[in-house]
Amino acid sequence: MRWMIWMAVLCAASAVMAQSDPFLINDLRIITRVDVYGIEEQVLIGHITNTSSEAFETVTLMGDVLDADGQPIGEVFGYTVNACGVALLDDPLQPEERAAFALPVDWFGDFDPADLPTRFAIRASGVPTTADRDLTPNGMRAVTAIAADEVVAVDWVADDVLLYGVGCERDLFTSYEWRRYDLLSGSKDALASHPNATYITSALIDSIGVQVPSANQNARNPALLERSALTVIPNSTRIVWQNDRNDLFSADRETGLGRRLIHRYLHQYSLRGFLFTPENNLLAYYFGAHGEPVRYLTASAEGRLISNVITVNPPSNTVPGVWYDGQRVVISGTFDGVTGYFNQQARGFTRELLFEVAPEDLPGNHYPAPAYFRRDLNTRYLYIIRPLDGQAWLQCYHYEGRALHDLTPLPLQLATDERAWSWLSPDGAHLAVAANGRHAGLWLVDLTAFDACPVR
């Protein structure tokens, strides 16, 4: 669960009283957050931009909170943070790079909202270091950079239009900053919210009981909604979520009726996300820290478990890909002494080797799942992203031809605490690739530019 829950904006900055070259500091405002211990605190958040040609490490921000008369009423100290609020102590701020920060406020007396509006005198410092960011690997083809933010979700709403969400991957999709990207015009437009947010109403939340603790049906805990992974299932009229015991459910997205239990006894597993197929099926995947095997299950949107129970399904080194019918998954690992990618029967024990890889070239759970595309009944492709000699590559595997093709290197630079994802467009012509962390971004790969695995 995210280390904090953003509660409410208390004030907007009326002025930045001071800042230090070469840093530009803006978007200042004070919010109230609740930490994992349930304690409220006020935090000054904003953005800092490095306007110089060199990078800075150990970027530190400090300063005063001022009342309307310019008198100090509190002080702040802190660092740049990622989208989940984690301090980036060892993350150099590159030239022209913009980063968020969160500075807890130490009030000199009791905090009184009547003192607003508030002004700030903030200064920043850092240790100069050599700029080292290069996000354009040699030989990269047909790849377009769309955003440099921490993009953690993409929804294709048409063959040439996608929505992308910026935020902390562990948060609900309703808390992301959503933008619309048009492939034809190249335009990017900010959205007030994701269109599916209209379904997440108080009535729906009450109907499915997502805030009700299992041990006390008369209580309400709003924090349970934040860690429920409540999601509207594409191409269907259903939602999926987990309760406080990690039991997985499905129900109608408008009324919450038709609630069905998909899987129980998941309390020891950490839900990390869903994959959805055009045939209204899903794959839920679970893992903890980097290096842990990925557990998974497949189900229909209506709540029918398709795969075996999670303890029977063989674990995967990477997040599994899923075929449209949910009956087969693409896993990776070492089985019977062979390391590679395998086509695994979801409700059986048949496992088919697709291709072998060297153990050192097998990615971890922070790499994207293989993306499955069925052009027709006799032509099926898998798009796989994995490191080759330290460089992330996009490959295509033609299932019927049993052939693996190298397509292009990708600008992914993933630390062990960072993640990447990929999403195919409905027509299979484009692959959206996103990453969070230091080298965050969203890129679009034009798959029609390659001779291998023709989608049309």
Side-chain angles (χ1 to χ4, degrees):
M1 181 177 176
R2 187 175 176 178
W3 67 285
M4 60 186 175
I5 303 172
W6 300 112
M7 297 297 291
V9 175
L10 295 182
C11 64
S14 59
V16 179
M17 297 301 293
Q19 60 188 52
S20 48
D21 292 335
F23 300 114
L24 172 66
I25 302 170
N26 54 18
D27 301 332
L28 294 173
R29 65 189 189 276
I30 291 181
I31 65 165
T32 292
R33 72 183 182 193
V34 179
D35 63 18
V36 294
Y37 303 105
I39 300 174
E40 283 192 358
E41 62 177 348
Q42 283 74 47
V43 180
L44 176 65
I45 64 173
H47 289 94
I48 179 172
T49 302
N50 176 11
T51 63
S52 78
S53 59
E54 60 183 348
F56 290 86
E57 57 187 3
T58 318
V59 175
T60 305
L61 297 104
M62 64 187 69
D64 297 318
V65 180
L66 311 174
D67 64 14
D69 297 324
Q71 298 301 311
I73 57 175
E75 59 185 6
V76 295
F77 178 86
Y79 308 93
T80 57
V81 296
N82 65 14
C84 292
V86 178
L88 302 175
L89 300 179
D90 300 321
D91 185 7
L93 192 64
Q94 300 295 326
E96 304 304 320
E97 184 177 30
R98 182 173 180 261
F101 59 81
L103 316 177
V105 181
D106 181 14
W107 300 104
F108 296 154
D110 293 336
F111 173 68
D112 184 359
D115 289 336
L116 303 181
T118 300
R119 296 184 294 170
F120 312 99
I122 307 300
R123 57 190 181 277
S125 62
V127 179
T129 187
T130 303
D132 64 355
R133 175 168 292 185
D134 180 8
L135 295 180
T136 308
N138 293 329
M140 191 172 72
R141 294 177 53 205
V143 179
T144 302
I146 306 302
D149 307 286
E150 292 196 65
V151 176
V152 295
V154 166
D155 282 343
W156 286 94
V157 295
D159 291 337
D160 53 8
V161 177
L162 62 82
L163 310 181
Y164 65 91
V166 177
C168 176
E169 62 163 311
R170 296 189 295 272
D171 288 350
L172 289 183
F173 77 95
T174 52
S175 69
Y176 299 158
E177 296 178 10
W178 285 95
R179 292 153 200 171
R180 180 183 185 274
Y181 179 74
D182 188 302
L183 277 65
L184 298 180
S185 66
S187 62
K188 289 187 287 187
D189 300 300
L191 302 179
S193 62
H194 191 286
N196 285 338
T198 59
Y199 297 111
I200 313 303
T201 63
S202 297
L204 178 71
I205 292 170
D206 290 341
S207 176
I208 64 177
V210 67
Q211 294 179 323
V212 179
S214 300
N216 185 356
Q217 295 296 305
N218 295 319
R220 293 291 185 276
N221 182 358
L224 295 182
L225 175 63
E226 300 296 326
R227 49 92 60 202
S228 68
L230 178 61
T231 304
V232 178
I233 302 175
N235 309 309
S236 80
T237 59
R238 308 278 292 181
I239 55 173
V240 62
W241 78 96
Q242 67 176 5
N243 67 4
D244 60 338
R245 296 185 302 197
N246 293 3
D247 298 337
L248 197 63
F249 295 90
S250 168
D252 181 82
R253 69 185 180 186
E254 294 188 10
T255 64
L257 300 178
R259 169 171 161 158
R260 294 193 63 178
L261 174 65
I262 297 174
H263 200 306
R264 67 175 72 221
Y265 308 123
L266 296 169
H267 54 276
Q268 67 190 59
Y269 303 108
S270 299
L271 178 62
R272 300 302 296 265
F274 300 104
L275 300 179
F276 300 104
T277 82
E279 296 182 0
N280 297 354
N281 299 310
L282 64 89
L283 180 145
Y285 57 92
Y286 300 76
F287 63 86
H290 174 74
E292 291 186 4
V294 181
R295 298 284 184 172
Y296 55 91
L297 60 93
T298 65
S300 68
E302 289 71 29
R304 177 178 61 88
L305 184 64
I306 297 175
S307 70
N308 289 316
V309 295
I310 198 169
T311 52
V312 174
N313 298 325
S316 176
N317 213 68
T318 51
V319 177
V322 59
W323 289 46
Y324 291 167
D325 59 6
Q327 299 285 348
R328 284 164 286 186
V329 295
V330 181
I331 63 175
S332 66
T334 301
F335 300 93
D336 301 322
V338 178
T339 300
Y341 283 76
F342 298 81
N343 201 21
Q344 172 70 45
Q345 192 176 14
R347 199 168 181 81
F349 301 95
T350 302
R351 185 165 47 247
E352 171 193 17
L353 175 65
L354 299 176
F355 58 92
E356 291 189 51
V357 302
E360 62 269 20
D361 289 334
L362 196 63
N365 56 26
H366 59 328
Y367 265 74
Y372 171 83
F373 177 69
R374 184 181 66 201
R375 194 181 75 178
D376 53 49
L377 293 178
N378 299 310
T379 310
R380 289 164 289 191
Y381 302 132
L382 291 167
Y383 294 96
I384 295 169
I385 299 173
R386 63 189 184 98
L388 297 177
D389 297 325
Q391 172 64 57
W393 269 82
L394 172 64
Q395 298 177 303
C396 176
Y397 181 78
H398 180 204
Y399 181 72
E400 281 73 22
R402 299 297 192 267
L404 180 67
H405 305 276
D406 293 341
L407 298 185
T408 181
L410 293 175
L412 291 181
Q413 301 182 43
L414 298 177
T416 57
D417 60 346
E418 300 168 345
R419 285 194 62 196
W421 303 261
S422 67
W423 301 265
L424 271 171
S425 61
D427 61 358
H430 293 88
L431 183 72
V433 180
N436 65 2
R438 178 186 174 193
H439 299 110
L442 173 65
W443 302 269
L444 202 63
V445 184
D446 181 1
L447 300 175
T448 66
F450 305 100
D451 294 331
C453 300
V455 297
R456 293 171 177 168

PDB file of all heavy atoms in Angstrom, residues 121-137:
ATOM      1  N   ALA A 121       9.521  30.690   1.348  1.00  0.00           N
ATOM      2  CA  ALA A 121      10.894  31.070   0.995  1.00  0.00           C
ATOM      3  C   ALA A 121      11.694  29.777   0.921  1.00  0.00           C
ATOM      4  O   ALA A 121      12.095  29.229   1.949  1.00  0.00           O
ATOM      5  CB  ALA A 121      11.476  32.022   2.036  1.00  0.00           C
ATOM      6  N   ILE A 122      11.886  29.278  -0.272  1.00  0.00           N
ATOM      7  CA  ILE A 122      12.484  27.957  -0.464  1.00  0.00           C
ATOM      8  C   ILE A 122      13.794  28.093  -1.224  1.00  0.00           C
ATOM      9  O   ILE A 122      13.905  28.856  -2.190  1.00  0.00           O
ATOM     10  CB  ILE A 122      11.528  27.037  -1.265  1.00  0.00           C
ATOM     11  CG1 ILE A 122      10.148  27.005  -0.612  1.00  0.00           C
ATOM     12  CG2 ILE A 122      12.108  25.627  -1.379  1.00  0.00           C
ATOM     13  CD1 ILE A 122      10.149  26.486   0.800  1.00  0.00           C
ATOM     14  N   ARG A 123      14.779  27.338  -0.803  1.00  0.00           N
ATOM     15  CA  ARG A 123      16.054  27.287  -1.511  1.00  0.00           C
ATOM     16  C   ARG A 123      16.435  25.822  -1.715  1.00  0.00           C
ATOM     17  O   ARG A 123      16.020  24.944  -0.956  1.00  0.00           O
ATOM     18  CB  ARG A 123      17.152  28.022  -0.747  1.00  0.00           C
ATOM     19  CG  ARG A 123      17.380  27.514   0.661  1.00  0.00           C
ATOM     20  CD  ARG A 123      18.297  28.428   1.445  1.00  0.00           C
ATOM     21  NE  ARG A 123      18.559  27.943   2.794  1.00  0.00           N
ATOM     22  CZ  ARG A 123      17.747  28.138   3.824  1.00  0.00           C
ATOM     23  NH1 ARG A 123      16.628  28.816   3.667  1.00  0.00           N
ATOM     24  NH2 ARG A 123      18.068  27.676   5.017  1.00  0.00           N
ATOM     25  N   ALA A 124      17.228  25.586  -2.744  1.00  0.00           N
ATOM     26  CA  ALA A 124      17.646  24.227  -3.084  1.00  0.00           C
ATOM     27  C   ALA A 124      19.147  24.185  -3.280  1.00  0.00           C
ATOM     28  O   ALA A 124      19.776  25.178  -3.661  1.00  0.00           O
ATOM     29  CB  ALA A 124      16.940  23.754  -4.354  1.00  0.00           C
ATOM     30  N   SER A 125      19.702  23.031  -3.019  1.00  0.00           N
ATOM     31  CA  SER A 125      21.140  22.841  -3.215  1.00  0.00           C
ATOM     32  C   SER A 125      21.381  21.424  -3.712  1.00  0.00           C
ATOM     33  O   SER A 125      20.541  20.540  -3.558  1.00  0.00           O
ATOM     34  CB  SER A 125      21.908  23.070  -1.915  1.00  0.00           C
ATOM     35  OG  SER A 125      21.519  22.126  -0.929  1.00  0.00           O
ATOM     36  N   GLY A 126      22.537  21.220  -4.321  1.00  0.00           N
ATOM     37  CA  GLY A 126      22.894  19.898  -4.811  1.00  0.00           C
ATOM     38  C   GLY A 126      24.370  19.844  -5.131  1.00  0.00           C
ATOM     39  O   GLY A 126      25.043  20.881  -5.240  1.00  0.00           O
ATOM     40  N   VAL A 127      24.868  18.637  -5.277  1.00  0.00           N
ATOM     41  CA  VAL A 127      26.278  18.430  -5.592  1.00  0.00           C
ATOM     42  C   VAL A 127      26.409  18.193  -7.098  1.00  0.00           C
ATOM     43  O   VAL A 127      25.812  17.247  -7.627  1.00  0.00           O
ATOM     44  CB  VAL A 127      26.829  17.216  -4.822  1.00  0.00           C
ATOM     45  CG1 VAL A 127      28.297  16.987  -5.187  1.00  0.00           C
ATOM     46  CG2 VAL A 127      26.661  17.417  -3.324  1.00  0.00           C
ATOM     47  N   PRO A 128      27.161  19.059  -7.807  1.00  0.00           N
ATOM     48  CA  PRO A 128      27.296  18.878  -9.264  1.00  0.00           C
ATOM     49  C   PRO A 128      27.917  17.527  -9.603  1.00  0.00           C
ATOM     50  O   PRO A 128      28.819  17.037  -8.924  1.00  0.00           O
ATOM     51  CB  PRO A 128      28.218  20.026  -9.681  1.00  0.00           C
ATOM     52  CG  PRO A 128      28.099  21.047  -8.586  1.00  0.00           C
ATOM     53  CD  PRO A 128      27.889  20.252  -7.326  1.00  0.00           C
ATOM     54  N   THR A 129      27.418  16.938 -10.668  1.00  0.00           N
ATOM     55  CA  THR A 129      27.952  15.671 -11.150  1.00  0.00           C
ATOM     56  C   THR A 129      27.780  15.623 -12.661  1.00  0.00           C
ATOM     57  O   THR A 129      27.064  16.443 -13.247  1.00  0.00           O
ATOM     58  CB  THR A 129      27.238  14.470 -10.489  1.00  0.00           C
ATOM     59  OG1 THR A 129      27.889  13.254 -10.863  1.00  0.00           O
ATOM     60  CG2 THR A 129      25.783  14.409 -10.903  1.00  0.00           C
ATOM     61  N   THR A 130      28.424  14.689 -13.303  1.00  0.00           N
ATOM     62  CA  THR A 130      28.363  14.588 -14.761  1.00  0.00           C
ATOM     63  C   THR A 130      26.995  14.112 -15.218  1.00  0.00           C
ATOM     64  O   THR A 130      26.454  13.144 -14.672  1.00  0.00           O
ATOM     65  CB  THR A 130      29.441  13.619 -15.274  1.00  0.00           C
ATOM     66  OG1 THR A 130      30.724  14.061 -14.823  1.00  0.00           O
ATOM     67  CG2 THR A 130      29.425  13.557 -16.799  1.00  0.00           C
ATOM     68  N   ALA A 131      26.447  14.787 -16.190  1.00  0.00           N
ATOM     69  CA  ALA A 131      25.171  14.343 -16.747  1.00  0.00           C
ATOM     70  C   ALA A 131      25.364  13.007 -17.447  1.00  0.00           C
ATOM     71  O   ALA A 131      26.325  12.826 -18.196  1.00  0.00           O
ATOM     72  CB  ALA A 131      24.628  15.385 -17.731  1.00  0.00           C
ATOM     73  N   ASP A 132      24.451  12.062 -17.172  1.00  0.00           N
ATOM     74  CA  ASP A 132      24.668  10.720 -17.705  1.00  0.00           C
ATOM     75  C   ASP A 132      23.433  10.124 -18.368  1.00  0.00           C
ATOM     76  O   ASP A 132      23.389   8.934 -18.643  1.00  0.00           O
ATOM     77  CB  ASP A 132      25.116   9.770 -16.593  1.00  0.00           C
ATOM     78  CG  ASP A 132      24.038   9.584 -15.518  1.00  0.00           C
ATOM     79  OD1 ASP A 132      22.993  10.260 -15.586  1.00  0.00           O
ATOM     80  OD2 ASP A 132      24.252   8.751 -14.620  1.00  0.00           O
ATOM     81  N   ARG A 133      22.428  10.930 -18.627  1.00  0.00           N
ATOM     82  CA  ARG A 133      21.217  10.369 -19.207  1.00  0.00           C
ATOM     83  C   ARG A 133      21.309  10.310 -20.722  1.00  0.00           C
ATOM     84  O   ARG A 133      21.537  11.305 -21.390  1.00  0.00           O
ATOM     85  CB  ARG A 133      19.992  11.189 -18.803  1.00  0.00           C
ATOM     86  CG  ARG A 133      18.712  10.722 -19.478  1.00  0.00           C
ATOM     87  CD  ARG A 133      17.488  11.339 -18.870  1.00  0.00           C
ATOM     88  NE  ARG A 133      17.284  10.850 -17.524  1.00  0.00           N
ATOM     89  CZ  ARG A 133      16.220  11.165 -16.801  1.00  0.00           C
ATOM     90  NH1 ARG A 133      15.304  11.964 -17.294  1.00  0.00           N
ATOM     91  NH2 ARG A 133      16.090  10.694 -15.582  1.00  0.00           N
ATOM     92  N   ASP A 134      21.144   9.114 -21.241  1.00  0.00           N
ATOM     93  CA  ASP A 134      21.060   8.916 -22.681  1.00  0.00           C
ATOM     94  C   ASP A 134      19.968   7.894 -22.929  1.00  0.00           C
ATOM     95  O   ASP A 134      20.159   6.702 -22.694  1.00  0.00           O
ATOM     96  CB  ASP A 134      22.395   8.428 -23.252  1.00  0.00           C
ATOM     97  CG  ASP A 134      22.328   8.225 -24.763  1.00  0.00           C
ATOM     98  OD1 ASP A 134      21.306   8.608 -25.360  1.00  0.00           O
ATOM     99  OD2 ASP A 134      23.286   7.675 -25.328  1.00  0.00           O
ATOM    100  N   LEU A 135      18.814   8.354 -23.378  1.00  0.00           N
ATOM    101  CA  LEU A 135      17.668   7.484 -23.548  1.00  0.00           C
ATOM    102  C   LEU A 135      17.469   7.052 -24.994  1.00  0.00           C
ATOM    103  O   LEU A 135      16.415   6.549 -25.348  1.00  0.00           O
ATOM    104  CB  LEU A 135      16.405   8.194 -23.049  1.00  0.00           C
ATOM    105  CG  LEU A 135      16.378   8.501 -21.551  1.00  0.00           C
ATOM    106  CD1 LEU A 135      15.084   9.209 -21.186  1.00  0.00           C
ATOM    107  CD2 LEU A 135      16.536   7.240 -20.733  1.00  0.00           C
ATOM    108  N   THR A 136      18.479   7.246 -25.836  1.00  0.00           N
ATOM    109  CA  THR A 136      18.339   6.867 -27.239  1.00  0.00           C
ATOM    110  C   THR A 136      19.403   5.836 -27.594  1.00  0.00           C
ATOM    111  O   THR A 136      20.509   6.190 -28.014  1.00  0.00           O
ATOM    112  CB  THR A 136      18.465   8.100 -28.155  1.00  0.00           C
ATOM    113  OG1 THR A 136      17.570   9.125 -27.703  1.00  0.00           O
ATOM    114  CG2 THR A 136      18.123   7.731 -29.586  1.00  0.00           C
ATOM    115  N   PRO A 137      19.108   4.555 -27.429  1.00  0.00           N
ATOM    116  CA  PRO A 137      20.117   3.534 -27.730  1.00  0.00           C
ATOM    117  C   PRO A 137      20.405   3.460 -29.227  1.00  0.00           C
ATOM    118  O   PRO A 137      19.557   3.786 -30.067  1.00  0.00           O
ATOM    119  CB  PRO A 137      19.457   2.238 -27.229  1.00  0.00           C
ATOM    120  CG  PRO A 137      17.994   2.526 -27.228  1.00  0.00           C
ATOM    121  CD  PRO A 137      17.868   3.983 -26.900  1.00  0.00           C
TER     122      PRO A 137
END
